Amino acid sequence: MKAVVMAGGEGTRLRPMTSSMPKPLLPVANRPIMEHVLRLLKRHGLSETVVTVQFLASLVKNYFGDGEELGMELTYAHEEKPLGTAGSVKNAEEALKDDAFVVISGDALTDFDLTDLIRFHKEKGALVTVCLTRVPNPLEFGITIVDEQGKVERFLEKPTWGQVFSDTVNTGIYVMEPEVFDYVDPDVSVDWSGDVFPQLMKEGKPIFGYVAEGYWEDVGTHESYLKAQADVLEGKVQIEMDGFEISPGVWIAEGAEVSPDAVLRGPLYIGDYAKVEAGAEIREHTVIGSNVVVKSGAFLHRAVVHDNVYIGPHSNLRGCVIGKNTDIMRAARIEDGAVIGDECLIGEESIVQGNVRVYPFKTIEAGAFVNESVIWESRGQAHLFGARGVSGILNVEITPEVVVRLAGAYATTLKKGATVTTARDHSRGARALKRAVISALQASAINVRDLENVPLPVARQQTARGSAGGIVLRTSPGVPDSVDIMFLDERGADLSLQGQRKLDRVYARQEYRRAFPGEIGDLQFPGSVFDAYTGSLLRRVDTTGIADAGLKVVVDASNGSAGLVLPSLLGRLGVDALTINPGLDESRPTETRESRRAGLVRLGEMVASARAAFGVRFDPVGERISLVDERGRIIEDDRALLVMLDLVAAEKRSGKVALPVTTTRVAEQVAAYHGTQVEWTTTSPDDLTRVGRAENTIFGGDGRGGFIVPEFSSVFDGSAAFVQLLGLVARTQLTLSQIDARIPRAHVLRRDVSTPWAVKGLVMRRVVEAAGERQVDTTDGVRVVETDGRWALVLPDPAEAVTHLWAEGPDDATAQALLDEWAAAVEGAGQ
């Protein structure tokens, strides 16, 4: 006997889940509903099966193929147009005309005893046997009335409560003899219950009803879909489950990585190769698909998560469905009854209210509050570039495919035959993605000079030596699972805003240039880059007095790429240096704030015990440094900026220094005292670099460990700042604590306020209005200056739904009060 699986329905009530996926492929316990149906058929000896398909038919065919993996023989009958329940089976008549056959829906979950159903059919000598079951609420189903012998007396489709005479409903499972095809017209829409069965009854044909025992759920609504998942986990339906039951009700599939510090409260299911981090909590009736990542602090309860989903830290999912390939970012909240379609992006700290439908390929911006369904808007990334280039979570937002398109777009902005320098940090992620970058560049007729793993300042210098630009990949500072793709111009500086917009346009239009076979770019690996870098650095930065000062310093390379340069550099400087953490550590490509702080504390202890002049700690890519004075005390980064400024200005006695507008105005006092002048810039590194290139600029810094030494480079360079500091300390013969002590204390406080994109413009207008007659500086954002010199800066973030605030006063209490005032103004304008 053969079977027919009807898999052609659109499942409109299940949208957006069925917007890009046919209903039979919806997963229940990480397997398509139709796969559960096919496995049931096989258990009862019905291995030869015809599948009727219509809506998104190719997806069904591609998934199941010929059925070999299931040990079945599958063929397909394709409907060009919807033919109804009977018409679709008539469409498969050629394969079914020789014997009785079973008809079953591909989108209903059941464990009925089909063998007994077939036995009943044969014993009764029926033309058609309708499989019935009892349900508490029959309104959504067709009621079937049978007599004591099981013969059908009446069918009633979709009754009202006034028409309910029984609780036995038609499950859509039938056993039929081929003669039934005589009652179905070809190529027209015909239904069994509405058209064929009434005619058969009118002619007195034997139609029987078999009341089945067991489980049956017509997965036709979001509620029934979630119920089916819960019923599987509760063991109410007998189906095959992949994986292992590690504790009562807790199922974990092969290859899943679940931290012992994650909280699991079954019944629940975790799919193959999923990863659940420590601190995540997964509770009852949650189903997690294949390759899903659940970050620390995430909470899931009665949530159904399809394959390849990223669930960010501290996100909260309750009673919702998440489509495949969707990213749920940090602290997002999705409430009961909400459904998120395939390939969506739910931004940080956004809230999707209960029963909201978000259709596939949509973006919910960070901080948004969504209480209506999102159907028509298309997915789009408003800002490709952030503060550190193009950044995102590795293999979630930044995948090899994305990297290839980005590199291809960058290559398209350059001339054929141009040279681009590539480099990376010591992480495996950056190494893998850089290979994708190189392939895309070469395929776009660009020659590549690959530096492999070098400090970021070395990559910048080498890019400036004849390349049209550069691409550097590194782990995002402080975010181990994210990566930055930094695009450089011909000077080795970050790509200008104009250059970013040009690249953005090409990327958005997907208008990539491709090389002809004879134009494929060359790949070179230049040698002696470290010697070239240190030689140039020591020629340009004043090192007089260092050799005679007898300085002892402690240098922490942070197990990063700075350690590749330091041996050559320290050897040629002639200082007594103790280098710690010089080796590369792939497992730690970046540092958290806490680990960096702990490293500085250890550095301070070593400086004090060694009686060194000072200690310096490099960041992992050698771009920034932090300082410890001779007593072993940490000099905070904003304070280190003032110390360096004081040393440089005291020696130069003229020129200008480049500082972002977020810097304390104490910097103006220090610069003026030594006869120099501050040029305020925006917070963009590109703007600092622009001023750093000016002829009379003597110094630049951002207050976060980044220093510009203009005589050598116009970009941040940790090694150049270190060499400059050595020379300045040697020549002044003052300790860092002495220099720090002569600089006035600053009182600058900072806060971030969530601000949806839609109201950012309104917020800034309200801030300007609230400033009234007070002095307003619009170098970057809006800086409001009080008559007594106090100031507050309101600056919208260019890439996130956040507004940054700074405030400075004569003491912390005054600065705090000012910060509170303007934070309230921003929050009030955004409501």
Side-chain angles (χ1 to χ4, degrees), residues 537-538 540-544 546 551 569 573 614 625 643-645 647-649 651-652 697-700 707-713 717-732 736:
L537 175 57
L538 296 178
R540 296 185 183 184
V541 178
D542 188 356
T543 59
T544 56
I546 295 178
L551 292 175
L569 188 61
L573 280 170
F614 62 86
I625 58 172
V643 170
M644 287 286 287
L645 170 61
L647 282 166
V648 173
E651 183 167 276
K652 300 290 186 180
T697 301
I698 60 170
F699 174 74
F707 299 103
I708 294 174
V709 183
E711 52 263 45
F712 176 65
S713 172
D717 190 324
S719 295
F722 170 54
V723 172
Q724 184 182 47
L725 179 61
L726 277 172
L728 291 168
V729 170
R731 291 190 292 274
T732 60
L736 294 190

Side-chain angles (χ1 to χ4, degrees), residues 165 262 284 539:
F165 309 117
E284 300 87 355
R539 284 194 301 272

Side-chain angles (χ1 to χ4, degrees), residues 1-3 40-41 44-46 99-103 112-126 129 131 173-177 210:
M1 184 178 287
K2 295 181 180 180
L40 175 69
L41 293 172
H44 291 279
L46 300 163
D99 195 5
F101 55 90
V102 173
V103 177
F112 286 163
D113 187 345
L114 301 181
T115 300
D116 197 53
L117 170 66
I118 295 168
R119 177 199 58 76
F120 177 91
H121 175 80
K122 291 179 177 179
E123 285 182 357
K124 296 295 182 180
T129 297
C131 186
I173 302 173
Y174 311 112
V175 184
M176 297 180 166
E177 298 297 327
Y210 170 86

Side-chain angles (χ1 to χ4, degrees), residues 545-807:
I546 295 178
D548 299 329
L551 292 175
K552 179 189 290 187
V553 293
V554 183
V555 182
D556 187 348
S558 306
N559 297 115
S561 55
L564 301 172
V565 173
L566 287 173
S568 171
L569 188 61
L570 294 171
R572 296 169 69 173
L573 280 170
V575 296
D576 183 4
L578 170 62
T579 303
I580 59 176
N581 299 317
L584 296 175
D585 186 350
E586 282 189 351
S587 66
R588 293 190 298 164
T590 187
E591 299 178 306
T592 63
R593 187 189 302 270
E594 294 75 17
S595 63
R596 185 161 186 80
R597 190 75 183 181
L600 283 169
V601 170
R602 290 193 298 271
L603 176 62
E605 293 168 351
M606 298 186 71
V607 169
S609 63
R611 296 185 179 181
F614 62 86
V616 61
R617 181 178 174 88
F618 286 84
D619 74 352
V621 294
E623 185 180 39
R624 300 171 183 273
I625 58 172
S626 294
L627 303 180
V628 170
D629 69 16
E630 76 285 356
R631 300 177 186 176
R633 295 186 301 188
I634 299 170
I635 304 177
E636 304 297 342
D637 287 343
D638 55 349
R639 195 72 188 168
L641 174 62
L642 298 177
V643 170
M644 287 286 287
L645 170 61
D646 185 89
L647 282 166
V648 173
E651 183 167 276
K652 300 290 186 180
R653 293 290 175 179
S654 65
K656 63 182 179 182
V657 296
L659 302 174
V661 291
T662 53
T663 308
T664 171
R665 266 44 193 178
V666 171
E668 281 186 320
Q669 301 175 35
V670 174
Y673 181 80
H674 296 298
T676 59
Q677 179 183 356
V678 174
E679 178 163 342
W680 299 109
T681 75
T682 70
T683 54
S684 167
D686 175 58
D687 203 25
L688 271 172
T689 297
R690 175 186 58 80
V691 179
R693 288 196 297 266
E695 187 174 345
N696 60 340
T697 301
I698 60 170
F699 174 74
D702 67 351
R704 294 184 291 114
F707 299 103
I708 294 174
V709 183
E711 52 263 45
F712 176 65
S713 172
S714 62
V715 297
F716 297 145
D717 190 324
S719 295
F722 170 54
V723 172
Q724 184 182 47
L725 179 61
L726 277 172
L728 291 168
V729 170
R731 291 190 292 274
T732 60
Q733 297 186 351
L734 293 173
T735 65
L736 294 190
S737 64
Q738 289 172 332
I739 298 166
D740 186 23
R742 72 188 189 187
I743 301 172
R745 297 288 110 182
H747 302 276
V748 179
L749 301 179
R750 178 180 172 177
R751 186 181 303 174
D752 291 341
V753 177
S754 294
T755 312
W757 286 105
V759 299
K760 275 192 173 183
L762 173 63
V763 166
M764 298 311 292
R765 177 167 64 82
R766 293 286 173 81
V767 167
V768 172
E769 292 172 354
E773 299 298 321
R774 287 170 286 192
Q775 179 186 344
V776 172
D777 174 11
T778 57
T779 300
D780 200 8
V782 176
R783 189 172 75 95
V784 182
V785 184
E786 306 287 342
T787 54
D788 59 1
R790 293 177 297 135
W791 59 270
L793 173 65
V794 181
L795 177 64
D797 191 284
E800 299 179 10
V802 170
T803 299
H804 306 294
L805 290 87
W806 288 261

